[in-house]
Amino acid sequence: MKREFAVIGLGRFGASVCRELSAEGMDVLAIDVLESKINEFRHIASHAVIADSTDEKAMKELGIRNIDHVIVAIGDDIQASILTTLILKEFGVKKVTVKAQSNHHEKVLLKIGADQVIHPERDMGRKIAHSIISNNFLDHLELSNDHSIIEIRASKKMIGRTLVDLDIRAVYGCNVVAIKSNATNKMNISPLATDKIGPDDILIIIGADTDISKFERNLVIDD
Ligand code: ATP
């Protein structure tokens, strides 16, 4: 059975989520208060409706409670974003993902039952800053407020050395959970302490953000 999604707010972020879900063949209900946005999405999403998501009656009539996953992408109007989330959770929508504008906004959203809160601008800003500092930095995934997984390309300081030589766990408190070998193109998901790191190998590392920062400064950035 096709999964059903709704995207509320078709600004740049909501529009991009809506286009991508639709391109992947998902059933998407696009909602915005602006007629111009809805006209734009009429031929992209499965359904596109002009509605105010803070209007409980309108949301009920749209049958939003039966949708598997709703993405609230209202940006500037924090009050509307909070009220919409509240209505969706009161309706019993299983999964509600909300775009937050600030840490305070996130706190409120989590308190009222948002299942997932995202900060696309903050996260993208962080990724770009890291990749500007080092070409070896590839990706960052936030696991909690203080733990992350990062993906990096082996730096000059790592190439030809083993995990024992680098002593990453003892020195930096981080764990290398996988190494993708450039030579064999295979993913080694439980690297041994004696495995040697090759040129262009990709390492996946988990740890506390403070430990990861120390690791990045000392081992990932090439001098
Ligand atoms: P982005 O940065 O993703 O472009 P933004 O953070 O600037 O977006 P806004 O432009 O404030 O976000 O809002 C995104 C969309 O949400 C707009 O198209 C706006 O019309 C719509 N929107 C705002 N309030 C509501 C509401 N109560 N119900 C439905 N749509 C709404």
Side-chain angles (χ1 to χ4, degrees):
M1 224 173 69
K2 246 188 185 180
R3 285 182 64 199
E4 289 194 325
F5 295 89
V7 178
I8 301 177
L10 301 168
R12 281 162 303 178
F13 175 71
S16 166
V17 171
C18 188
R19 278 181 206 282
E20 222 39 52
L21 288 171
S22 303
E24 291 294 319
M26 303 293 152
D27 203 334
V28 186
L29 166 64
I31 299 172
D32 201 290
V33 272
L34 296 179
E35 189 179 357
S36 57
K37 300 273 179 183
I38 294 307
N39 286 338
E40 193 186 331
F41 277 83
R42 237 178 251 296
H43 303 292
I44 298 169
S46 329
H47 317 273
V49 180
I50 305 168
D52 180 344
S53 58
T54 62
D55 179 345
E56 214 170 321
K57 191 163 160 271
M59 290 297 102
K60 194 179 247 172
E61 281 167 12
L62 280 175
I64 202 111
R65 67 171 79 229
N66 301 316
I67 291 186
D68 302 313
H69 190 163
V70 181
I71 297 99
V72 182
I74 299 171
D76 295 342
D77 190 345
I78 292 183
Q79 197 176 321
S81 152
I82 291 170
L83 189 51
T84 301
T85 307
L86 200 59
I87 290 171
L88 295 170
K89 287 318 289 182
E90 273 182 6
F91 276 177
V93 174
K94 263 188 253 125
K95 184 146 190 205
V96 180
T97 296
V98 194
K99 172 182 148 164
Q101 288 291 68
S102 64
N103 290 341
H104 283 113
H105 186 191
E106 171 172 9
K107 261 192 190 162
V108 177
L109 292 169
L110 292 171
K111 275 242 157 38
I112 60 171
D115 301 284
Q116 186 184 23
V117 178
I118 45 172
H119 296 257
E121 291 94 350
R122 185 192 71 187
D123 294 350
M124 190 47 79
R126 273 187 190 164
K127 276 184 197 176
I128 297 212
H130 282 268
S131 62
I132 289 169
I133 294 170
S134 167
N135 285 335
N136 296 326
F137 180 86
L138 299 175
D139 209 352
H140 173 275
L141 176 72
E142 195 176 282
L143 295 177
S144 69
N145 277 343
D146 42 22
H147 284 80
S148 301
I149 289 182
I150 58 162
E151 187 182 32
I152 54 149
R153 193 176 292 119
S155 64
K156 288 190 192 124
K157 292 170 192 160
M158 296 174 183
I159 297 169
R161 303 182 70 189
T162 63
L163 296 182
V164 161
D165 294 338
L166 295 169
D167 213 5
I168 294 172
R169 190 179 304 163
V171 178
Y172 302 102
C174 307
N175 272 305
V176 178
V177 289
I179 300 177
K180 186 174 179 216
S181 158
N182 181 44
T184 61
N185 205 23
K186 281 201 180 124
M187 182 69 98
N188 175 0
I189 54 162
S190 42
L192 300 172
T194 49
D195 286 344
K196 215 178 238 182
I197 299 171
D200 287 331
D201 277 1
I202 290 172
L203 285 78
I204 317 284
I205 294 146
I206 189 167
D209 291 338
T210 45
D211 294 334
I212 287 182
S213 293
K214 199 164 67 170
F215 167 76
E216 278 181 16
R217 278 198 302 275
N218 289 299
L219 273 189
V220 182
I221 301 171
D222 284 320
D223 298 325

